[in-house]
Amino acid sequence: MKVTDPHIVVIFGASGDLTRRKLVPALYSLTAQKLLPLNIAILGIGRTIMDDNQFRASMHEGIEKYVSGYNKNRGSDEFLKKLHYLSINTTGAAEYKPVEKKLDELDKTYNTGGNYLFYLAVPPALYEIVPEGLFREGLTTEGSNGWRRLIVEKPFGYDLKSAASLNKKLLKYFSEEQIYRIDHYLGKETVQNMLVTRFSNGIFEPLWNRNYIHHVEITAAEHLGVENRGSYYDNTGALRDMVQNHLLQLLAIIAMEPPTLINSASIRNETLKVLQSLHYMDINDIESNVIRGQYTGSLVNGQKVRAYRDEKNVSADSRTETFVALRLYIDNWRWGGIPFYIRTGKRLPTMVTEVVVHFKPTPHKLFCFNQDLCNSDNQLVIRIQPDEGILLKFGVKVPGAGFIVRDVNMDFHYSSLADNNIPEAYQRLLMDCMQGDSTLFIRGDAIEQAWKFVDPVSEAWRERPGIQLYGYPAGTWGPREADTLIAGKNMAWRYPCKNLTGDGNYCEL
């Protein structure tokens, strides 16, 4: 890992929840691990009026609450001194002169060489205004005055048209190499380990194709509902909120060709090719390959859980999907004809994200004496969260007379490593951006390609209200109709939990 340059982290939307809950705790953790330079400052910018001390006090509360194993003796006082705050009208592009003045002041104080990392932790309506304001003050141009980078949070557009428009506008102020579109799923250790699993192990890559793999599942389940995000979620839904970004990016990493080099350009070129190869669905494909659902009221662990339509700021006749399952195909040489299944939803039994690779069964089942008890296929399970790890499922002989086969698991848990500190996704992604590594960030053309696949589904739902929206009781695995997507005898979605706690907060691999 190369040494990080001195720089200033500038967070727009600094009084918001993301800054307090994720960004500043991540920056503190990196500082406590001595991964950041001494010459670093953090400037929070927002419309809320407060001074440096008030900002530091708020961020200190966030650090104490959200940093795992927080210890006040690990330099928190020194870290907090590096935090500064500036209040401006962020909604007016002509109001950014104070930002330029403050950065010049901090640059001289901390000797950061004019290196600035801008983070947009703001509503999407400001994604164009903030860059324009920075551009007006000459803060976006790189050169002898230092590097300039921009991190943009999701959602990146609402559809293909808006995403393309946003890309075009951002490129007026920053180059593509300066823009880092963040997807926190890609910062998770197990997602990155998929590259290592595939490309550093000779036992997997020869099998990673249509000849040996029967199908692939991707599950991202949440046990919570929409909480206090009803107004946002009711205009978004599971397809846009999860599939368009997180899950299609996971799919691209699973299905990509081996890159020529492990660098940003090579890896992102290969993931783009996967998105370009997705089989686009017409209206008939959508009706038979996409299932959408919405959670209804139910009793979960003895507690009453209200229906989605009863949530705060949700329309009483809402047709927004809180669950979506898809069967899709990749039209290329490696994956032709092999189905990929994606499902995601809220108010499911637990929180879990995992990838399951199902290998084709043996051509002749020698030990299948009872069809009802016949051994199942071999599976490689890559658990992304929680209980991060990898599991390989295969058959062994049960001790005793005869050849009775039982499935067993050979597994690895990240928590079993001697140094089991698994960095939070935002720690990894912030660090990568500071070092100019865009491998785990999404390029503009990949964003647009993902929207090209998702848009026809959204349009079909909008234009054909007769397409079913299935109800499913909160606390279940979604509509029963989703089970019909996976075709084949004895084929079904994998039940992802070995031991499920009552509150749905933990799902053991």
Side-chain angles (χ1 to χ4, degrees):
M1 184 178 291
K2 65 182 181 181
V3 176
T4 302
D5 297 328
H7 63 281
I8 302 173
V9 179
V10 186
I11 304 174
F12 289 92
S15 59
D17 185 59
L18 177 64
T19 303
R20 182 173 177 272
R21 185 166 49 90
K22 291 291 185 181
L23 302 184
V24 170
L27 290 167
Y28 165 75
S29 297
L30 291 172
T31 302
Q33 296 170 61
K34 302 188 184 305
L35 294 174
L36 298 186
L38 294 176
N39 293 24
I40 187 173
I42 300 159
L43 174 60
I45 297 177
R47 287 185 294 172
T48 302
I49 297 176
M50 64 174 118
D51 59 24
D52 286 357
N53 289 331
Q54 290 172 315
F55 180 58
R56 289 165 182 165
S58 175
M59 295 303 107
H60 191 196
E61 291 175 1
I63 291 169
E64 289 181 321
K65 184 173 183 179
Y66 296 111
V67 172
S68 177
Y70 168 71
N71 184 334
K72 66 179 181 179
N73 295 322
R74 296 187 66 193
S76 60
D77 290 342
E78 288 301 311
F79 172 79
L80 291 170
K81 290 177 184 177
K82 298 177 182 290
L83 269 59
H84 305 268
Y85 187 82
L86 176 66
S87 176
I88 67 167
N89 175 20
T90 53
T91 62
E95 306 292 325
Y96 282 68
K97 186 63 179 176
V99 178
E100 190 269 334
K101 283 187 174 182
K102 187 67 175 179
L103 285 175
D104 185 58
E105 173 192 321
L106 293 175
D107 196 24
K108 291 174 181 175
T109 302
Y110 289 90
N111 192 27
T112 56
N115 298 321
Y116 305 147
L117 167 56
F118 302 109
Y119 200 114
L120 299 188
V122 295
L126 295 179
Y127 285 0
E128 301 168 21
I129 295 173
V130 175
E132 181 185 349
L134 296 173
F135 177 78
R136 283 171 176 251
E137 302 305 326
L139 293 172
T140 66
T141 305
E142 294 186 319
S144 58
N145 59 334
W147 50 254
R148 311 291 161 85
R149 295 167 190 154
L150 178 73
I151 297 182
V152 186
E153 272 281 347
K154 61 164 274 198
F156 198 89
Y158 182 77
D159 53 19
L160 174 59
K161 183 178 179 181
S162 60
S165 174
L166 179 55
N167 273 331
K168 185 177 180 180
K169 289 173 180 175
L170 287 180
L171 290 172
K172 288 168 60 179
Y173 312 120
F174 290 87
S175 69
E176 179 62 43
E177 290 70 28
Q178 292 176 280
I179 301 171
Y180 292 70
R181 299 168 188 82
I182 195 167
D183 183 342
H184 70 272
Y185 263 57
L186 301 188
K188 295 183 183 296
E189 196 70 27
T190 330
V191 173
Q192 300 155 42
N193 193 49
M194 282 196 283
L195 295 174
V196 177
T197 299
R198 283 191 58 190
F199 302 132
S200 73
N201 295 292
I203 62 173
F204 291 124
E205 181 54 28
L207 308 180
W208 214 263
N209 55 59
R210 69 187 188 282
N211 296 321
Y212 297 98
I213 290 177
H214 186 273
H215 68 279
V216 178
E217 282 181 60
I218 304 174
T219 293
E222 298 178 72
H223 73 280
L224 296 175
V226 295
E227 302 303 294
N228 295 316
R229 300 169 67 229
S231 57
Y232 162 77
Y233 198 88
D234 208 36
N235 290 303
T236 305
L239 184 69
R240 290 188 176 96
D241 190 49
M242 289 294 294
V243 175
Q244 182 275 330
N245 42 67
H246 303 321
L247 301 188
L248 287 185
Q249 293 301 322
L250 285 182
L251 180 144
I253 292 174
I254 296 162
M256 65 185 278
E257 294 296 319
T260 53
L261 296 169
I262 293 298
N263 62 27
S264 174
S266 297
I267 291 174
R268 298 204 294 178
N269 284 342
E270 295 303 335
T271 55
L272 173 64
K273 290 176 186 177
V274 174
L275 297 175
Q276 291 172 330
S277 301
L278 290 175
H279 181 82
Y280 292 104
M281 295 185 280
D282 60 25
I283 188 64
N284 295 321
D285 291 331
I286 291 167
E287 291 204 53
S288 58
N289 289 285
V290 183
I291 300 292
R292 60 175 175 164
Q294 186 184 94
Y295 64 82
T296 58
S298 178
L299 282 176
V300 179
N301 298 317
Q303 294 187 337
K304 186 176 180 180
V305 175
R306 60 188 171 189
Y308 173 73
R309 293 179 181 179
D310 294 330
E311 298 279 16
K312 184 180 178 181
N313 296 324
V314 171
S315 172
D317 59 354
S318 173
R319 291 183 62 81
T320 299
E321 78 287 354
T322 62
F323 174 96
V324 63
L326 305 90
R327 176 173 54 213
L328 54 89
Y329 295 88
I330 299 172
D331 292 338
N332 65 16
W333 194 266
R334 180 182 291 265
W335 297 109
I338 301 303
F340 285 73
Y341 300 96
I342 293 176
R343 65 173 170 173
T344 182
K346 291 188 175 294
R347 286 292 183 205
L348 302 185
T350 188
M351 181 194 77
V352 61
T353 302
E354 68 179 24
V355 174
V356 187
V357 179
H358 294 258
F359 293 96
K360 288 184 176 180
T362 54
H364 177 53
K365 291 186 178 291
L366 287 171
F367 308 110
C368 192
F369 306 115
N370 184 327
Q371 289 295 327
D372 295 330
L373 301 175
C374 194
N375 56 300
S376 60
D377 58 344
N378 299 126
Q379 299 173 12
L380 179 68
V381 181
I382 302 171
R383 173 64 62 81
I384 295 166
Q385 67 175 3
D387 193 24
E388 295 90 340
I390 301 175
L391 178 149
L392 182 63
K393 179 179 175 182
F394 57 97
V396 298
K397 178 184 177 297
V398 174
F403 288 93
I404 301 195
V405 177
R406 188 177 78 182
D407 289 328
V408 297
N409 300 329
M410 182 167 61
D411 53 24
F412 158 76
H413 299 255
Y414 267 91
S415 59
S416 67
L417 293 175
D419 179 12
N420 60 5
N421 176 37
I422 303 174
E424 292 284 338
Y426 277 98
Q427 292 181 39
R428 172 62 193 267
L429 293 171
L430 282 167
M431 191 71 178
D432 281 359
C433 184
M434 292 171 181
Q435 297 187 341
D437 184 350
S438 58
T439 303
L440 299 176
F441 294 84
I442 308 170
R443 215 161 55 190
D445 49 5
I447 288 276
E448 294 182 24
Q449 205 64 48
W451 277 120
K452 283 182 182 178
F453 175 78
V454 165
D455 270 5
V457 180
S458 298
E459 290 170 11
W461 289 347
R462 183 173 61 251
E463 295 173 4
R464 293 203 179 183
I467 296 178
Q468 284 285 348
L469 172 68
Y470 299 98
Y472 64 95
T476 65
W477 281 105
R480 287 177 296 177
E481 289 76 9
D483 295 336
T484 64
L485 286 180
I486 299 186
K489 186 176 180 180
N490 296 328
M491 301 298 297
W493 296 95
R494 179 183 123 88
Y495 181 67
C497 297
K498 185 165 68 176
N499 293 315
L500 177 60
T501 58
D503 60 4
N505 282 315
Y506 188 69
C507 181
E508 185 178 349
L509 179 62

